[in-house]
Amino acid sequence: MTMTKAEDQTIDALLDAEQARFLNDHPRSAAAWQKGQQHYLFGGPSHWMRRWAGGFPIYVESAQGARLQDIDGRAYVDFCLGDTGAMCGHTPAPVLRAAHMQLARGTTMMLPTEDSLWVGEELTRRFGLPYWTLTTSATDANRGAIRIARMITGRRKVLVFSGCYHGGVEEAHVELRDGKVGLRNMIHPNGVDHGAVSKVVEFNDLEALEKGLAEGDVACVLMEPIMTNFGMIPPLEGFHAAVRDMTRRTGSVLVIDETHTLSSGPGGYTALHGLEPDILVAGKAIAGGIPAALFGLTREIAERVWKLVPRVNPRIRQSAHLGIGGTLAGNALTVATMRAVLSEVLTPANYEIMIGLASRLAEDARVIISAHQLPWHVTQVGARAEIMFMPSPPKSGADVIAGRRANLETLLHAFYINEGILVTPFHTMFLMCPATEAADVARHADVFERFVKLLRKASVV
């Protein structure tokens, strides 16, 4: 929906007012942010931390469960949850206990612990793939999956879907704009020839996918089962079955990244919908906020790897490096907390609670949208929901580009943070954790209703 110049100017004025309110209410965070400019490249430990709509980030004093307190003494209901990293909640008791116990025994030795045996068995039980490798981030896991795909296929290119996000993977930094391939999200060129290593097509476009795979140069298709970074883009009926069939026929490895869609249930979207990836990636929440991720392989893919790099070779002292991994990957602290997450936090019972609350939040938002006859919709993926300012779910990244109202999203984020609610600053996505309560969801409905009335009063919806 195209907005008029006057409507855009009104939204800008509303945003100015919210940012002024934010500055007034957060003097200590404002001062801390100014001090941070002295020693950090973009003001904070990570440049992502500047992306909050208030104009600068709040500085956190403490976080517990689904609540967060800043250094200005203000409290928040947290639906951002570290953009999924804290999907288990902040400082969940099982993770805290496991971390304390392992810290006393040693954090990282580049040697396995017995916890790793339990974790490996549980990963196979949940996700169905038999062989796993742990990494320190989903970016590393995706890089490992890509390298393995190239090893066993001898091919170079990675096919991704426009609007995707797979961490810092260079091959995925591409998108389609007006039918042309370019770098996504204002990423600056760094000398990589993306034409040589990447292909990009629109999500749900099976004709373009088949054309891209037919040339026989794609090592792997890297995808989320439902796109979550560009606004949620659900798969059309039959899309996943067609992707699986095409990749098998053309010899491309299918890599499914469940880092966000782990919100679907204990085995992610893959287990819930019976998908059959060659490699599965998950990260962020898998160790309760401790930096960790993993990727799993089918037996067929593993055997192809072992032909190139045998599992055991007693004639040599060292195995091949493989070009993936890291000194801290699979460290004892990570594995201990991962065991706690899988055994006591991301359980079927907790998922039932989380998904129920997400369903309630989504339905409340739909009722408000309907009551005000707004051309908006809500999409839910398990414990995650998203409000999008367009009439129906997009089918592709191109649909998002055509219909997205980015300034309205920014205004919502600023209004919400002033009202004590945190949502993911990159899009309007809400995530539940086991500590989220019905009162938190009810509070969101109240704040969302008041946001809509603010827009109505300003005559911009």
Side-chain angles (χ1 to χ4, degrees), residues 12-53:
D12 286 344
L14 291 172
L15 179 57
D16 288 343
E18 291 300 329
Q19 289 186 330
R21 177 158 70 120
F22 183 78
L23 176 61
N24 182 70
D25 290 344
H26 299 83
R28 292 189 63 191
S29 286
W33 183 241
Q34 288 303 312
K35 188 174 182 179
Q37 309 302 313
Q38 299 174 23
H39 301 291
Y40 290 107
L41 183 62
F42 287 102
S46 166
H47 65 279
W48 286 12
M49 293 176 181
R50 67 182 177 147
R51 296 186 64 182
W52 294 84

Side-chain angles (χ1 to χ4, degrees), residues 62 70 78 83 90 92 96 165 185 192 210 218 256 270 311 320 337 342-343 379 382 385 389 431:
S62 63
D70 70 20
D78 190 1
D83 194 20
H90 298 292
L96 198 58
Y165 178 71
N185 200 31
V192 173
E210 186 161 31
V218 173
I256 292 184
T270 291
R311 296 182 85 178
T337 56
L342 296 173
S343 62
T379 298
F389 302 124
L431 182 62

Side-chain angles (χ1 to χ4, degrees), residues 278-317:
D278 296 309
I279 302 177
L280 182 143
V281 169
K284 289 192 178 183
I286 201 71
I290 301 294
L294 46 83
F295 63 91
L297 288 68
T298 63
R299 183 169 187 87
E300 188 270 336
I301 296 296
E303 287 178 344
R304 292 171 69 181
V305 173
W306 295 333
K307 285 182 180 179
L308 299 173
V309 183
R311 296 182 85 178
V312 179
N313 189 342
R315 296 182 180 180
I316 59 175
R317 292 185 178 183

Side-chain angles (χ1 to χ4, degrees), residues 141-328:
N142 281 318
R143 285 174 178 154
I146 290 170
R147 178 167 279 274
I148 282 174
R150 285 172 168 155
M151 283 172 55
I152 64 176
T153 64
R155 301 173 181 179
R156 189 176 185 184
K157 291 190 176 182
V158 176
L159 188 146
V160 296
F161 294 98
S162 188
C164 72
Y165 178 71
H166 298 285
V169 173
E170 192 66 53
E171 292 84 350
H173 286 167
V174 289
E175 68 176 6
L176 293 171
R177 290 265 178 176
D178 300 321
K180 297 180 180 179
V181 178
L183 293 183
R184 58 175 296 277
N185 200 31
M186 298 180 288
I187 292 173
H188 290 264
N190 67 347
V192 173
D193 181 0
H194 286 89
V197 298
S198 305
K199 287 188 178 183
V200 57
V201 302
E202 293 289 0
F203 198 67
N204 285 315
D205 189 342
L206 291 175
E207 183 178 349
L209 177 63
E210 186 161 31
K211 182 178 179 181
L213 294 176
E215 297 174 354
D217 57 352
V218 173
C220 66
V221 172
L222 174 61
M223 65 180 294
E224 288 185 292
I226 172 172
M227 292 186 69
T228 65
N229 182 70
F230 210 44
M232 287 191 190
I233 306 175
L236 297 178
E237 185 175 354
F239 178 69
H240 279 296
V243 172
R244 181 64 283 189
D245 176 65
M246 287 183 195
T247 49
R248 282 183 172 142
R249 283 192 288 105
T250 58
S252 297
V253 176
L254 177 58
V255 182
I256 292 184
D257 184 350
E258 289 265 16
T259 297
H260 275 175
T261 53
L262 191 59
S263 63
S264 301
Y269 195 99
T270 291
L272 186 64
H273 294 275
L275 306 186
E276 299 178 354
D278 296 309
I279 302 177
L280 182 143
V281 169
K284 289 192 178 183
I286 201 71
I290 301 294
L294 46 83
F295 63 91
L297 288 68
T298 63
R299 183 169 187 87
E300 188 270 336
I301 296 296
E303 287 178 344
R304 292 171 69 181
V305 173
W306 295 333
K307 285 182 180 179
L308 299 173
V309 183
R311 296 182 85 178
V312 179
N313 189 342
R315 296 182 180 180
I316 59 175
R317 292 185 178 183
Q318 294 186 351
S319 60
H321 186 281
L322 293 180
I324 59 177
T327 307
L328 298 180

Side-chain angles (χ1 to χ4, degrees), residues 369-384:
I369 289 168
S370 177
H372 290 274
Q373 299 181 316
L374 297 169
W376 304 347
H377 75 274
V378 183
T379 298
Q380 181 185 353
V381 181
R384 187 188 303 278

